[in-house]
């Protein structure tokens, strides 16, 4: 069974959204993701202010652990997306991850457009959940 | 067991109940299901029931004998009347009302006929799930009927989803009820339906028999809701009532939302509790939302929509506009729904995800809020009927409710004019929709008419950035397009156009040079006309600006924009050989400049003395041309060298042409005209080029100027505007000493031929020679420029090589830094 976990962090690095498939081993996922935050920060700050405009939103493979691959993505408002996938998911290509991030970003934008959503609140939007579920299932079931 | 004295009524009632419970007919009623159900139907707390069973001795006996049963019933009655349960009270309490059972028995119904009426009215609660009774959202108002005291009482509201229980009803009711039911059975059945649904309890189905009566009994104390029920006495849904709007109004007025939104049917039993509380609060509200029946709970009735629209207007007066998210948030927060639900509602209704609500989206959101407040669960997806209509023209197709909303008379007129995509979905009167459809159709027709719009020449506009009037002029795609462009440019240009026209008309002797690029003609015309470097404006060159400037500098507003000639003549102008039109234009163009005009007209006859000063000022013109880009002399050159680069950035040297014109008779005009047709841009560029070259010549300028002057002198009739003339006059004197200043450009060749013209008379033959000379000059200029080009190319190559070598060195050094 392939695992995939998605987390979103606010600019202040507290989680906005956590979702994993399957639901077990969540803690391990969470731990991995939280440690990856350091890497994200490092990448974000490493680019420097001068290149802020050119910094890509997609951070790519943050670092591979023995079991998992961690991908990062940062929006312009410093909201971070982190995806953890099994290393055994070899067929999960980079551009697929990119497209996932893009979809996530779009969905997140939709959530932000909701005036009832206060930035910084955990995301409870059903639509967002639906999209994430669909994405995860699709990713997991592709193999 | 104490003896139990029962009144006759009680006796009868109890015996009936016993019979009912005594399914086995053993005269002993064990604690079977029916008894339990009955006791449960008594709506008493379970401990009370236990107590009762104890008291009556059933626990002792293990079953309910008739006496125990009777005692139990009596105790139930006692308990229901609020008296403490005492065995002694069994007999002492007088006038004890009969025990009331929610899932009442038929006998009770029979006994309490009065209640039947209420029951009947209540029986009209919409049949759950089925369309027996139209189930308008307004109907669901049984909320308010819910007896405030009975929280345990299942929602009286007929709950649509609980349809299944309907089927079970006839069966249980028939055996027991029939003999005792005086009122018609249909209401009973409905009542039972209702009861069942309201009970939400499958068990009830068994005891449906007396449900109606029981309900009525139960409801007896609640007169308030009953009266409300009375309103529903008719099966047919009452017409939509404005009171519904009251509810909405009060909603917005921040009154308890529950009381104000009784319109919607509670969709689920789970909501019943909330609804009941709501209903209880709204018991006094006798609003009946019986919009015309429809099965889709999400449809918006007309009055609702009208209400929504009014609310929309309070936030955003423009019905086609958007409500920003913040305003909508405040508005819907007033509904006191939890933020999470509001967030979900927003997600559903903001169809285009833009953070703002159109009218349609707002109506959908409002409708969802109303539904939610009435207990409906929010859907996962936006219902179809709430989807904002995105296509205007689909109104007729999208208006779903044909009959229901037709009767809507108060359709707001303000909706009609609104053509926004959101409006079409309004269920307005058909005529309005049709009307708006027509409007949309006409609109679309209009839009399709764009095809008939004439094609505009985009070149014209950018070509004349400095001109005040830049109007798109239809371009005829004829071979003479360029010529026409030139004409247009002339027209739109500040002034020079006109001078060109006369120039164009002029040189008859240039007829042999029809192949000359239009710029030539143009230049010739210019020179003939007024010696302006106005050719700038004509060309669609990419250097209109410079030319413009030159023109503006060179040509005073004498030749201001003349109204563009009508298109028809233009094709004629394209006619290469026809000088007549050019003449017309020439004359028309020269209307502005006084001098050019008479000069133009007088061109054929003779050359005014102008040429002299023009001749002298030719060098200055050359200078000016350099700055402005309109070399008249260059024009001459260009005319003489048709095969030269068409698009030279130099302008024709109008001064030369003027000289030409002076010397050339009208015979040159047609030639010039032809040239101008070919391409004014070329003319200008070429004209400028030669002039520049002329100017660049240091020592040669003198001769150049002389030649130019002579040329100009020959073209006297269309004398250059006073300014250029003056300039030329001035420059002439300065030129000689300033020859060196002109610049090291290669124009010696040009100068030579020019100098050969000092003595050019105004004869036609001299013009020919001048043209030939200019041709020669241009050729020489060409060669010079080519040489220069090759040299520069060589230099570029060298530089590139150098750069490559440097880069290589850098690369060699670089790797070390990468480590």
């Amino acid at each position: 069974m392939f695992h995939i976990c998605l987390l979103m962090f606010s600019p202040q690095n507290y989680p906005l959204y956590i979702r994993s498939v399957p639901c077990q081993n969540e803690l391990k996922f969470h731990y991995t993701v939280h440690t990856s935050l350091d890497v994200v920060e490092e990448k974000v700050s490493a680019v420097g202010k001068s290149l802020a405009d050119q910094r890509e939103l997609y951070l790519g493979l943050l670092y591979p652990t023995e079991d998992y691959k961690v991908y990062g993505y940062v929006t312009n408002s410093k909201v971070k997306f982190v995806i953890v996938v099994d290393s055994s998911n070899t067929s999960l290509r980079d551009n697929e991850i990119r497209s996932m991030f893009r979809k996530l970003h779009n969905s997140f934008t939709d959530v932000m457009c909701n005036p009832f959503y206060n930035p910084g609140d955990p995301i409870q939007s059903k639509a967002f959940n639906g999209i994430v579920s669909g994405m995860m299932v699709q990713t997991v079931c592709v193999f | 067991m104490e003896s139990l004295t029962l009144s006759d009524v009680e006796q009868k009632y109890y015996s009936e109940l016993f019979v009912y419970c005594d399914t086995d007919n053993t005269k002993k009623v064990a604690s079977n299901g029916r008894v339990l159900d009955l006791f449960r139907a008594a709506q008493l707390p379970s401990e009370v029931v236990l107590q009762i069973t104890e008291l009556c001795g059933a626990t002792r006996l293990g079953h309910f004998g008739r006496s125990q049963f009777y005692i139990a019933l009596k105790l139930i009655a006692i308990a229901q009347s609020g008296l403490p349960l005492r065995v002694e009270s069994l007999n002492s309490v007088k006038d004890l009302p009969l025990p009331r059972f929610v899932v009442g028995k038929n006998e009770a119904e029979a006994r309490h006929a009065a209640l039947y009426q209420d029951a009947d009215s209540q029986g009209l609660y919409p049949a759950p799930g089925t369309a027996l009774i139209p189930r308008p959202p307004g109907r669901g108002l049984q909320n308010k009927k819910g007896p405030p005291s009975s929280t345990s009482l299942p929602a009286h509201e007929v709950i649509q989803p609980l349809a299944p229980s309907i089927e079970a009803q006839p069966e249980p009711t028939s055996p027991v009820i029939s003999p005792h039911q005086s009122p018609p059975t249909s209401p009973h059945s409905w009542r039972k339906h209702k009861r069942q649904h309201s009970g939400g309890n499958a068990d009830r189905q068994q005891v449906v028999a007396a449900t109606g009566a029981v309900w009525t009994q139960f409801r007896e104390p609640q007169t308030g809701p009953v009266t409300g029920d009375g309103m529903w006495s008719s099966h047919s849904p009452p017409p939509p009532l404005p009171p519904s709007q009251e509810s909405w109004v009060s909603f917005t007025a921040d009154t308890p939302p529950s009381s104000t939104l009784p319109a919607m049917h509670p969709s689920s039993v789970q909501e019943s509790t909330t609804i009941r509380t709501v209903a209880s609060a709204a018991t006094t509200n006798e609003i009946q939302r019986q919009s015309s029946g429809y099965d889709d709970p999400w449809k918006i009735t007309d009055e609702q929509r009208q209400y929504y629209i009014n609310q929309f207007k309070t936030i955003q007066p423009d019905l086609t506009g958007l409500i920003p998210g913040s305003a909508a948030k405040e508005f819907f927060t007033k509904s006191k729904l939890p933020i999470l639900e509001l967030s979900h509602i927003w997600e559903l209704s903001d169809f285009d995800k833009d953070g703002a609500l159109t009218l349609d989206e707002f109506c959908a959101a409002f409708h969802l809020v109303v539904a939610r407040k009435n207990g409906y669960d929010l859907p996962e997806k936006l219902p179809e009927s709430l989807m904002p209509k995105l296509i205007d023209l689909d109104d007729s197709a999208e208006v779903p409710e044909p009959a229901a909303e037709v009767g809507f008379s108060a359709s707001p007129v303000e909706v009609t004019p609104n053509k926004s995509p959101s409006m079409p979905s309004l269920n307005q009167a058909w005529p309005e929709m049709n009307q708006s459809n027509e409007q949309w159709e006409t609109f679309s027709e209009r839009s399709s008419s764009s095809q008939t719009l004439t094609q505009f020449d985009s070149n014209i506009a950018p070509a004349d950035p400095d001109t005040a009037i830049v109007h798109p002029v239809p371009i005829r795609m004829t071979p003479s397009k360029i010529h026409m462009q030139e004409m247009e440019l002339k027209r739109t240009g500040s002034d020079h156009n006109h001078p060109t026209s006369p120039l164009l008309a002029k040189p008859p002797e240039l007829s042999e040079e029809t192949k000359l690029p239009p710029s030539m003609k143009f230049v010739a015309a210019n020179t003939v006309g007024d010696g302006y470097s106005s050719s700038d404006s004509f060309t669609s060159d990419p250097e209109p600006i410079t030319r413009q400037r030159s023109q503006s500098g060179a040509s005073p507003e004498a030749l201001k924009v003349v109204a563009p000639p009508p298109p028809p003549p233009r094709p004629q102008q394209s006619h290469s050989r026809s000088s007549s039109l050019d003449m017309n234009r020439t004359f028309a163009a020269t209307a502005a400049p006084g001098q050019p005009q008479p000069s133009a007209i007088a061109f054929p006859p003779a050359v005014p003395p102008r040429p002299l000063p023009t001749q002298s000022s030719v060098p200055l013109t050359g200078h000016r041309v350099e700055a402005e880009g309109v070399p008249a002399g260059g024009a001459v050159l260009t005319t003489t060298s048709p095969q030269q680069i068409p698009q030279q950035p130099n302008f024709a040297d109008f001064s030369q042409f003027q000289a030409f014109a002076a010397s050339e008779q009208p015979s040159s005009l047609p030639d010039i005209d032809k040239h101008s047709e070919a391409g004014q841009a070329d003319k200008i560029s070429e004209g400028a080029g030669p002039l520049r070259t002329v100017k660049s010549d240091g020592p040669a300028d003198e001769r150049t100027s002389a030649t130019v002057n002579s040329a100009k002198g020959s073209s006297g009739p269309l004398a250059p505007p006073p300014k250029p003339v003056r300039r030329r006059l001035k420059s002439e004197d300065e030129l000689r000493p300033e020859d060196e200043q002109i610049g090291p450009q290669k124009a010696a060749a040009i100068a030579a031929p020019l100098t050969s013209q000092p003595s050019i008379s105004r004869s036609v033959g001299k013009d020919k020679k001048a043209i030939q000379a200019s041709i020669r000059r241009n050729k020489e200029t060409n060669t010079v420029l080519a040489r220069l080009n090759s040299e520069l190319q060589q230099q570029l190559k060298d530089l590139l090589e150098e750069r490559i070598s440097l880069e290589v060195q850098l690369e060699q050094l670089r790797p070390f830094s990468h480590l």
Side-chain angles (χ1 to χ4, degrees), chain B residues 243-540:
Chain B
S244 61
Q245 289 199 354
E246 288 170 10
S247 67
W248 288 311
V249 171
S250 48
F251 165 83
T252 52
D254 277 350
T255 57
S258 59
S259 61
T260 61
L261 297 175
M264 308 298 291
H265 255 310
S267 56
S268 61
V269 179
Q270 301 89 339
E271 308 304 324
S272 62
T273 52
T274 54
I275 303 299
R276 245 177 278 119
T277 53
V278 168
S280 54
T283 51
T284 55
N285 261 354
E286 297 177 358
I287 298 168
Q288 298 200 5
R289 303 243 164 232
Q290 307 207 16
S291 45
S292 46
Y294 50 81
D295 296 327
D296 179 6
W298 299 113
K299 271 193 206 165
I300 303 180
T301 66
D302 291 330
E303 64 198 27
Q304 287 174 334
R305 187 170 285 279
Q306 185 46 39
Y307 183 77
Y308 299 156
I309 293 167
N310 292 337
Q311 291 304 310
F312 185 92
K313 277 193 256 179
T314 60
I315 308 176
Q316 163 70 282
D318 176 18
L319 287 179
T320 62
L322 298 170
I323 290 186
S326 47
K329 175 178 178 178
E330 289 171 27
F331 181 79
F332 286 115
T333 310
K334 286 193 278 186
S335 72
K336 301 206 179 20
L337 281 180
I339 294 289
L340 187 58
E341 296 185 7
L342 288 173
S343 174
H344 187 56
I345 288 176
W346 176 278
E347 273 178 11
L348 289 177
S349 57
D350 188 6
F351 201 67
D352 47 7
K353 299 272 179 272
D354 58 355
L357 296 181
T358 65
L359 181 62
D360 248 5
E361 294 173 347
F362 177 82
C363 290
F366 208 139
H367 200 64
L368 287 170
V369 168
V370 167
R372 190 82 186 101
K373 291 234 63 91
N374 285 277
Y376 281 77
D377 269 344
L378 290 179
E380 288 300 319
K381 273 184 36 160
L382 191 65
E384 270 240 357
S385 49
L386 292 181
M387 285 211 179
K389 309 300 186 291
L390 301 176
I391 306 172
D392 292 358
L393 295 175
D394 287 352
D395 293 338
S396 51
E398 289 170 354
V399 178
E401 52 299 275
E405 279 66 16
V406 167
F408 190 74
S409 57
S411 53
V413 180
E414 59 263 17
V415 175
T416 313
N418 189 345
K419 293 196 187 118
S420 70
S422 62
M423 296 315 291
S425 59
L426 289 179
N427 308 328
Q428 297 310 325
W430 283 105
E432 292 174 8
M433 298 308 285
N434 294 339
Q435 176 187 357
S436 49
N437 283 346
E438 291 162 4
Q439 289 163 349
W440 280 304
E441 287 160 5
T442 54
F443 180 80
S444 62
E445 286 168 2
R446 251 178 279 122
S447 59
S448 64
S449 69
S450 60
Q451 302 159 6
T452 63
L453 293 178
T454 55
Q455 312 279 337
F456 293 130
D457 181 21
S458 56
N459 289 337
I460 292 181
D464 297 330
D466 294 349
T467 59
I469 299 175
V470 179
H471 56 274
V473 180
I475 296 295
R476 296 231 165 73
M477 306 309 293
T478 63
S480 62
K481 179 181 180 209
I482 301 173
H483 173 66
M484 297 185 33
Q485 287 180 0
E486 295 167 356
M487 296 301 127
E488 293 317 315
L489 285 169
K490 283 187 218 166
R491 251 176 262 114
T492 55
S494 50
D495 2 280
H496 327 286
N497 305 335
H498 309 299
T500 58
S501 52
L503 292 174
L504 291 174
K506 268 199 202 154
E509 59 187 22
L510 297 178
S511 56
E512 73 241 19
E513 295 167 351
T514 57
K515 307 154 202 155
L516 291 179
S519 57
M520 307 280 233
K521 290 184 274 176
F522 183 86
V523 172
N526 273 346
T527 51
V528 171
D530 50 0
Y532 288 171
S533 55
S534 57
S535 53
D536 303 349
S537 61
F538 307 119
T539 67
S540 49

Side-chain angles (χ1 to χ4, degrees), chain B residues 64-324:
Chain B
F64 284 97
R66 185 176 280 273
S67 53
Q68 286 86 24
F69 190 69
Y70 286 6
I71 291 170
L73 288 176
K74 188 101 190 233
L75 286 171
I76 287 173
I78 289 170
Q80 282 178 342
S81 14
L83 300 172
L85 285 179
R86 301 268 181 79
V87 178
E88 305 78 21
S89 61
L90 277 176
N91 289 327
S92 55
V93 176
K94 305 285 190 240
D95 298 329
L96 190 66
L98 286 175
R100 296 183 298 268
F101 298 101
V102 170
V103 204
K105 314 250 139 150
N106 311 334
E107 306 85 306
E109 288 176 354
R111 311 265 168 105
H112 306 273
L115 298 175
Y116 282 153
Q117 286 146 14
D118 300 332
D120 284 350
S121 61
Q122 294 177 9
L124 294 181
Y125 287 142
T130 62
L132 292 183
I133 304 181
R135 224 175 352 110
R139 228 3 140 123
L141 252 229
Q142 305 158 10
N143 305 349
K144 45 188 192 148
K145 314 298 193 299
S149 57
S150 63
T151 54
S152 59
L153 182 65
H156 291 207
E157 315 77 50
V158 177
I159 306 207
Q160 311 140 357
L162 303 181
S165 48
I166 295 178
E167 299 72 79
Q169 297 177 1
E171 164 265 323
T173 61
S174 48
V176 187
I177 298 179
S178 44
H180 305 280
Q181 296 193 2
S182 44
T185 51
S186 51
H188 286 307
S189 61
W190 284 16
R191 249 173 286 135
K192 288 161 205 150
H193 288 245
K194 185 183 44 170
R195 304 295 176 260
Q196 292 185 358
H197 304 314
S198 53
N201 193 343
D203 299 339
R204 309 259 180 236
Q205 297 182 18
Q206 307 166 12
V207 204
V208 165
T211 34
V214 175
W215 277 112
T216 60
Q217 292 174 18
F218 203 82
R219 288 170 184 276
E220 210 176 1
Q222 292 94 23
T223 54
V226 169
T227 56
D229 291 344
M231 291 174 66
W232 294 22
S233 53
S234 66
H235 286 246
S236 60
L241 298 182
S244 61
Q245 289 199 354
E246 288 170 10
S247 67
W248 288 311
V249 171
S250 48
F251 165 83
T252 52
D254 277 350
T255 57
S258 59
S259 61
T260 61
L261 297 175
M264 308 298 291
H265 255 310
S267 56
S268 61
V269 179
Q270 301 89 339
E271 308 304 324
S272 62
T273 52
T274 54
I275 303 299
R276 245 177 278 119
T277 53
V278 168
S280 54
T283 51
T284 55
N285 261 354
E286 297 177 358
I287 298 168
Q288 298 200 5
R289 303 243 164 232
Q290 307 207 16
S291 45
S292 46
Y294 50 81
D295 296 327
D296 179 6
W298 299 113
K299 271 193 206 165
I300 303 180
T301 66
D302 291 330
E303 64 198 27
Q304 287 174 334
R305 187 170 285 279
Q306 185 46 39
Y307 183 77
Y308 299 156
I309 293 167
N310 292 337
Q311 291 304 310
F312 185 92
K313 277 193 256 179
T314 60
I315 308 176
Q316 163 70 282
D318 176 18
L319 287 179
T320 62
L322 298 170
I323 290 186

